[in-house]
């Protein structure tokens, strides 16, 4: 007697499986139809709700003084035509040796996908290497006194000076996104929030991508004559300077 297992099916067994396969295909087709029909539930695009980040950036608050800077170069070429910008460099009159803080805001147009994108992509394409990435909360920066979320990026890249010397330059950067009501440092979280507001609240919204950054100098920059020794601050000190700057600026520009 042959006791070996067989991989072949009898005609009766194959016939008994047919209804189960048909049922699964029918269920799959129904799920796909239901999913595609949800598109019709999305509200039509209407007037955009403005970002809660106001403009223009103030040029003076407390001991901090700013100067507007022009946005030029590749940024203008790759972003949608209705994208708007605010950019300025700030110095602290009470601490003149501190490196300047650059504040840069990109206000999205109707073509959101071509107005705002993850900054990591641009930085890496410009040759920056990331040495530190994390989420940070700036204490009490929200209008109601809550903490404001940011994504921190510390990046560095080698730069050749006019005398042929090569030196590594470093920057620390905090960024976040301001929607009509939401504030999030997460690019994918911003996208999800945008979909939820469109679906459940019935509006499109403008997003403002805000970045605050400053250079981080060390002794090698002093030795090369790039900066004065008083301009040298540790990374931790630079992070504290950025947080302090945001705490002073945010109440003036966040509704």
């Amino acid at each position: 007697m042959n006791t070996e297992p067989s991989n072949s099916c009898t005609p009766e067994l194959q016939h008994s499986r047919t209804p189960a396969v048909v049922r699964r295909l029918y269920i799959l087709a129904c799920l796909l139809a239901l999913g595609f029909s949800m598109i019709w539930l999305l509200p039509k695009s209407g007037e955009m709700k403005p970002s809660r980040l106001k403009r223009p950036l103030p040029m003076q608050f407390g001991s901090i003084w700013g100067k507007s800077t022009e946005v030029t170069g590749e940024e203008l070429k790759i972003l949608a035509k209705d994208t708007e910008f605010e950019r300025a460099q700030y110095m602290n009159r009470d601490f003149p040796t501190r490196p300047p803080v650059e504040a840069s805001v990109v206000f999205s147009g109707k073509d959101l996908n071509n107005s705002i994108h993850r900054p990591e992509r641009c930085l890496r394409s410009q040759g920056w290497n990331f040495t530190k990435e994390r989420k940070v909360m700036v204490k009490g920066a929200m209008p109601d006194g809550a903490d404001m979320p940011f994504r921190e990026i510390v990046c560095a890249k080698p730069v050749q000076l006019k005398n042929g010397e090569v030196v590594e330059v470093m920057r620390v950067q905090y960024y976040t996104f301001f929607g009509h009501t939401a504030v999030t440092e997460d690019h994918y979280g911003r996208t999800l929030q945008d979909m939820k507001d469109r679906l459940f609240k019935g509006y499109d919204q403008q997003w403002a991508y805000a970045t605050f950054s400053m250079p981080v100098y060390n002794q090698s920059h002093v030795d090369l004559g790039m900066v004065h020794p008083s301009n040298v601050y540790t990374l931790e000190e630079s992070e504290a300077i950025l947080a302090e700057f945001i705490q002073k600026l945010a109440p003036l520009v966040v509704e």
Side-chain angles (χ1 to χ4, degrees):
M1 182 174 63
N2 186 6
T3 59
E4 292 183 2
S6 173
N7 292 326
S8 62
C9 296
T10 64
E12 292 80 5
L13 184 57
Q14 289 178 336
H15 179 74
S16 65
R17 288 181 177 178
T18 300
V21 173
V22 172
R23 281 197 302 271
R24 285 196 291 268
L25 289 174
Y26 178 75
I27 293 172
L28 178 60
C30 290
L31 290 174
L32 288 172
L34 179 62
F36 284 120
S37 67
M38 292 294 290
I39 295 174
W40 301 104
L41 297 179
L42 290 173
K44 293 182 179 180
S45 178
E47 182 181 357
M48 288 183 67
K49 297 283 188 179
S51 168
R52 65 185 298 181
L53 187 68
K54 298 185 296 184
R55 64 182 108 176
L57 292 172
M59 290 298 106
Q60 195 271 322
F61 50 100
S63 62
I64 298 175
W65 293 77
K67 181 180 179 181
S68 294
T69 57
E70 189 177 0
V71 179
T72 59
E74 292 300 318
E75 254 181 319
L76 295 176
K77 295 179 182 178
I78 63 175
L79 297 179
K81 298 299 182 183
D82 57 350
T83 306
E84 299 179 49
F85 299 87
E86 291 275 345
R87 184 167 294 172
Q89 281 202 339
Y90 292 91
M91 297 294 296
N92 193 321
R93 184 176 55 194
D94 291 343
F95 301 95
T97 63
R98 287 182 177 179
V101 172
E102 181 177 87
S104 178
V105 185
V106 179
F107 292 93
S108 72
K110 289 194 173 182
D111 184 2
L112 186 60
N113 290 332
N114 290 314
S115 294
I116 289 181
H117 49 262
R118 295 183 69 206
E120 288 88 341
R121 188 178 68 186
C122 286
L123 290 172
R124 288 194 172 98
S125 68
Q126 295 167 7
W128 291 95
N129 300 307
F130 293 7
T131 61
K132 182 179 180 181
E133 291 183 79
R134 62 170 181 159
K135 177 181 178 179
V136 297
M137 302 295 291
V138 175
K139 302 294 184 182
M142 294 292 288
D144 61 357
D147 300 342
M148 185 177 290
F150 282 87
R151 184 73 177 170
E152 178 188 12
I153 297 176
V154 180
C155 51
K157 71 176 178 179
V159 173
Q160 187 172 26
L161 305 179
K162 291 181 179 179
N163 62 5
E165 292 272 7
V166 176
V167 63
E168 185 177 70
V169 295
M170 179 183 290
R171 292 191 71 85
V172 55
Q173 170 177 306
Y174 285 9
Y175 75 81
T176 197
F177 301 97
F178 296 88
H180 182 58
T181 58
V183 180
T184 176
E185 88 297 343
D186 187 343
H187 173 73
Y188 298 107
R190 177 193 64 76
T191 302
L192 179 60
Q193 183 68 46
D194 204 51
M195 294 170 61
K196 287 167 58 180
D197 289 342
R198 177 103 184 269
L199 180 60
F200 297 111
K201 297 181 181 179
Y203 62 73
D204 289 336
Q205 62 192 305
Q206 182 184 56
W207 285 88
Y209 154 48
T211 305
F212 306 96
S213 64
M214 62 182 293
V216 181
Y217 298 124
N218 56 41
Q219 187 58 43
S220 64
H221 302 123
V222 176
D223 295 341
L224 289 169
M226 296 173 59
V227 297
H228 189 271
S230 61
N231 299 132
V232 174
Y233 290 83
T234 65
L235 175 59
E236 291 73 19
E237 290 170 335
S238 300
E239 292 169 334
I241 291 171
L242 277 183
E244 177 188 296
F245 175 86
I246 293 168
Q247 288 166 339
K248 292 179 178 180
L249 176 65
L252 305 177
V253 296
V254 180
E255 294 183 334

